[in-house]
């Protein structure tokens, strides 16, 4: 940049003007900095129901911006990935991949296009909601490159899938002789196993007892004599075979020398919903206990009306 200075004055005789000027060059130094990119995170969600679900692949494109708008050298990467050449269901070829617990994430590094392929069996096996994450980043080809990371969140809403019970022949009780209640029962949990099985004496009488042998299954057996219910529980989830094994071992007994001879009604159920036959209308009812001590009766009534179970309305 050139700077000019002009001086306007008079000559020695005072009869005229005299102008002089000079010029100088000023140099302004500019140091350029590589700006930081902005990379947006991604959230992908799946919902597991009590049925046998099918989970679709999810596709999209990572969004990255840079104030240096003319850049064409932004490249994406997936942390912990391996190289691949995978043609997705969308027809694109992905060159990075990483397998998670509940699916596989694929990335096209030149464009930021991604594909998530859910693992159907892993999601179906869940009893409770969970999530997993993948880390992606974007960088440029500058001599002093900048890199920015973001998170891809896979959120899964899970539930305990519908289980099937076949009771088979039920044994009769003889005084002072414990009897196996359902030695031929069949337990089916085709997708996610079980966390709880309940055996209930609906018309529980004095001295009635239910017991079980759990062996090495990891299942915990607990009997509540007040309500006549034996609970078989495995918080982390157990196989149908393990629960069936323990169910076969369930015994009924009565400690009295003169037990009440009324026929007992035995109900076997899975999960928190319990069927209940002993009702004045002689119809099958289902009950579910939900801890919510802070709500009013009216709120509880509205929430119950909003719930469904196996096609029935609460």
């Amino acid at each position: 940049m050139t700077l000019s200075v002009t001086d306007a004055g008079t000559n020695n005789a005072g009869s005229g003007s005299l102008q002089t000027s000079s010029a100088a060059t000023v140099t302004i130094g500019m140091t350029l900095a590589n700006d930081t990119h902005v990379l947006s995170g991604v959230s992908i969600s799946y919902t597991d129901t009590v049925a046998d679900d099918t989970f679709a692949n999810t596709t999209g494109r990572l969004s990255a911006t840079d104030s240096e708008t003319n850049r064409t050298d932004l490249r994406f990467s997936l942390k912990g990935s391996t190289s691949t050449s995978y043609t997705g269901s969308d027809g694109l070829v992905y060159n990075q991949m990483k397998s998670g617990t509940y699916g596989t994430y694929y990335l096209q590094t030149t464009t930021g296009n991604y594909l998530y392929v859910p693992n159907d069996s892993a999601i179906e096996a869940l009893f409770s909601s969970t999530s997993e994450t993948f880390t992606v980043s974007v960088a440029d080809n500058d001599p002093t490159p900048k890199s920015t990371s973001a998170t891809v969140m896979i959120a899964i809403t899970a539930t305990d899938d519908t289980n099937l019970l076949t009771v088979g022949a039920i044994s009769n009780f003889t005084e002072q002789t414990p009897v196996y209640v359902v030695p031929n029962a069949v337990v089916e949990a085709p997708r996610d196993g079980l966390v709880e099985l309940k055996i209930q004496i609906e018309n529980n009488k004095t001295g009635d007892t239910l017991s079980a042998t759990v062996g090495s299954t990891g299942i915990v057996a607990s009997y509540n004599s007040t309500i006549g219910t034996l609970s078989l529980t495995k918080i982390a989830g157990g196989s149908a075979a393990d629960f069936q094994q323990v169910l076969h071992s369930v015994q009924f007994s009565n400690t009295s020398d003169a037990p009440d001879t009324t026929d007992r009604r035995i109900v076997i159920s899975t999960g928190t919903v319990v069927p209940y036959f002993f009702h004045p209308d002689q119809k099958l009812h289902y009950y579910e206990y939900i801890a919510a001590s802070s709500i009013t009766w009216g709120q509880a009534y509205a929430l119950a009306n909003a719930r469904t179970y196996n096609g029935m309305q609460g």
Side-chain angles (χ1 to χ4, degrees), residues 44 46 55-60 89 94 98-106 114-119 123 132 134 152 154-156:
I44 299 171
Y46 291 95
F55 303 102
N57 297 344
T58 297
T59 60
S89 55
Y94 298 88
K98 184 178 181 181
S99 295
T101 303
Y102 306 108
T104 302
Y105 189 84
Y106 294 90
Y114 64 82
L115 166 69
Y116 182 74
V117 180
N119 184 329
I123 296 176
E132 68 176 343
F134 298 88
V152 176
I154 313 297
I156 302 171

Side-chain angles (χ1 to χ4, degrees), residues 31-161:
T31 302
L32 300 180
N34 187 12
D35 295 337
T36 301
H37 328 297
V38 177
L39 179 61
S40 300
V42 175
S43 180
I44 299 171
S45 62
Y46 291 95
T47 299
D48 175 34
T49 71
V50 296
D52 187 2
D53 301 294
T54 299
F55 303 102
N57 297 344
T58 297
T59 60
R61 187 170 184 172
L62 297 176
S63 175
T65 58
D66 192 312
S67 57
E68 300 160 343
T69 56
N70 293 324
R71 300 209 73 130
T72 59
D73 62 343
L74 296 182
R75 294 295 181 266
F76 300 86
S77 62
L78 173 60
K79 185 178 180 180
S81 65
T82 57
S83 297
T84 187
S85 180
Y86 178 78
T87 302
S89 55
D90 53 2
L92 298 179
V93 178
Y94 298 88
N95 60 312
Q96 287 187 351
M97 64 167 285
K98 184 178 181 181
S99 295
T101 303
Y102 306 108
T104 302
Y105 189 84
Y106 294 90
L107 180 66
Q108 194 177 70
T109 58
T110 55
T111 64
N113 284 300
Y114 64 82
L115 166 69
Y116 182 74
V117 180
N119 184 329
D120 183 275
S121 59
I123 296 176
E124 288 281 15
L126 289 170
F127 295 104
S128 57
S129 300
T130 188
S131 65
E132 68 176 343
T133 60
F134 298 88
T135 300
V136 292
S137 61
V138 62
D140 55 42
N141 197 32
D142 195 90
T144 55
K146 288 289 183 68
S147 178
T148 302
S149 297
T151 298
V152 176
M153 169 74 76
I154 313 297
I156 302 171
T157 302
T159 189
D160 187 7
D161 287 6

Side-chain angles (χ1 to χ4, degrees), residues 217-233:
T217 62
I219 295 171
V220 176
S222 176
Y223 181 66
N224 185 324
S225 59
T226 302
I227 59 175
T229 299
L230 175 66
S231 297
L232 307 177
T233 308

Side-chain angles (χ1 to χ4, degrees), residues 1-20:
M1 180 174 69
T2 301
L3 178 67
S4 297
V5 178
T6 301
D7 178 23
T10 59
N11 59 20
N12 291 337
S15 58
S17 63
L18 178 64
Q19 292 185 342
T20 60

